[in-house]
Amino acid sequence: MTPFSKLPTPCYVVDTGRLRQNLETIRKIQDRTDAKIILALKGFAMFSTFPIVSEYLCGTTASSVNEARLGREEFGGEVHAYAPAYNDLDIEELAPLVQHITFNSFSQFHRFQQRLLDLNPNVSVGLRINPEYSEVATPLYDPCRPCSRLGMTLAHFEGQDLEGVEGLHFHTMCEQNSDTLERVVEAVERQFGPFLDRMKWINFGGGHHITRSDYDVERLCRIIEAFSDRHAVQVYLEPGEAIALNAGYLVSSVLDVFENGMPLAILDASATAHMPDVLEMPYRPVIQGAGDPGSKPHTIRLGGMTCLAGDEIGDYAFDHPLKVGDRLVFEDMAHYTMVKNTTFNGVRLPSIATYDPETEKTEVVRQFGYEDYRDRLS
Ligand SMILES: *Cc1c(COP(=O)(O)O)cnc(C)c1O
């Protein structure tokens, strides 16, 4: 009997104790440095947990009007926004919702600056910079890839009037440690240092794997403190993944088992629909009680219930053969899952639940049905 054995499946379960542990780490950084740390909703937007998260963080950052509105209505505090491009309607809708807007280009800045300030004179405007330095090995996740569309390089600053720009924003990391940040900050200062004197804030973006066990928090604090000594600007960090890292699960049930060259099991959770990063990153999720192929007596290929041939999660070894009704618990499924899932094939979205380790109680906070599928179509 695990605490998850009564849940409907598939189901994302967020462990609020683990969430708090992550947030405690983040709080220490905020207490020690003057940095403000906000939640990137792109990575984790389970708003039923926002009463907890907002005890620790002062706001959210949004990549769209919808996220900004969620941040405003469900989280409170500061709302920041950045997107590679906005249209007129986005600006109309964002203006009353946000404290900061970061534009991706000088053309977007010039196009919208006046309109934005007419709508809300209190919005602080920033520009995303591309320091042309990153250590992200996967091109899909490298904002400094050649000919990147994300942010302005130093060359773009040539001859530009920075009147009205109050902040600079960079985001060049993905699941990285603070030694990488140190080198990114060096590149930023080397190139954009002269502009920092006239800014009010700088945003160090996301991709800081702060809550991973080997993350060097001490070094992060030193980097921020030293930066703040050199420049009189407010430092922001906007991690997504780090907030919910290792704080949740996807619980699924085995629907069928048979053989075709090897043992196969079909689950009620899908890689493509419910944990798309398994195929997109790609990566191999950890399953409780299972190991690498061959490490236990029964190696079984696990797949989802969609028609996509490649909807496979991988080969996993178990102590016993799987049977219909068995439950599998996928680890680290809180971030970049609920926010990315789809109803491809019309499959049902996983329910969303919380688990409180103190009371050992689970609570299903949301279940999805036909309407959720229908309402995104017409
Ligand atoms: C994705 C993103 C984040 C959050 O990144 P994590 O890897 O989840 O920490 C923050 N800022 C920007 C601009 C992003 O694109």
Side-chain angles (χ1 to χ4, degrees), residues 40 42 82 128 169 171 205-208 238-241 336:
K42 182 184 79 185
Y82 158 78
R128 176 156 174 179
H169 177 295
H171 171 72
H208 315 276
E238 47 178 29
E241 178 159 338
Y336 291 104

Side-chain angles (χ1 to χ4, degrees), residues 31-218:
D31 286 350
R32 177 162 151 200
T33 69
D34 293 327
K36 291 189 180 183
I37 302 184
I38 56 181
L39 165 66
L41 293 172
K42 182 184 79 185
F44 181 69
M46 181 178 163
F47 54 90
S48 57
T49 67
F50 286 179
I52 297 174
V53 183
S54 62
E55 284 177 37
Y56 300 82
L57 307 184
C58 67
T60 56
T61 189
S63 10
S64 59
V65 175
N66 285 342
E67 284 185 357
R69 187 168 160 194
L70 191 80
R72 178 71 174 228
E73 294 182 2
E74 303 291 340
F75 196 105
E78 293 185 30
V79 179
H80 297 214
Y82 158 78
Y86 294 112
N87 64 23
D88 293 290
L89 185 59
D90 293 333
I91 296 299
E92 305 276 325
E93 294 186 356
L94 281 173
L97 299 173
V98 300
Q99 277 71 40
H100 284 201
I101 284 192
T102 296
F103 289 110
N104 187 59
S105 68
F106 280 104
S107 49
Q108 283 260 307
F109 168 61
H110 293 313
R111 182 168 158 205
F112 292 122
Q113 178 191 27
Q114 196 50 53
R115 179 74 188 129
L116 181 63
L117 294 179
D118 289 347
L119 292 163
N120 181 353
N122 298 319
V123 177
S124 184
V125 170
L127 266 180
R128 176 156 174 179
I129 56 173
N130 173 359
E132 298 176 86
Y133 179 85
S134 66
E135 300 177 6
V136 180
T138 319
L140 183 63
Y141 295 98
D142 183 7
C144 301
R145 56 200 273 160
C147 308
S148 171
R149 72 187 196 293
L150 303 174
M152 296 287 98
T153 65
L154 186 58
H156 289 110
F157 277 65
E158 183 76 38
Q160 287 287 348
D161 180 4
L162 294 183
E163 182 70 35
V165 179
E166 296 189 340
L168 295 180
H169 177 295
F170 66 84
H171 171 72
T172 68
M173 291 168 50
C174 181
E175 300 189 336
Q176 281 162 317
N177 214 316
S178 43
D179 60 323
T180 299
L181 177 66
E182 189 152 35
R183 293 185 286 272
V184 171
V185 166
E186 263 170 39
V188 167
E189 277 188 288
R190 197 174 345 105
Q191 300 174 53
F192 299 92
F195 304 119
L196 282 167
D197 299 335
R198 58 180 99 167
M199 297 297 151
K200 291 188 176 158
W201 52 268
I202 185 161
N203 190 320
F204 285 8
H208 315 276
H209 233 188
I210 295 170
T211 49
R212 194 175 71 201
S213 57
D214 67 343
Y215 186 90
D216 189 347
V217 171
E218 178 61 32

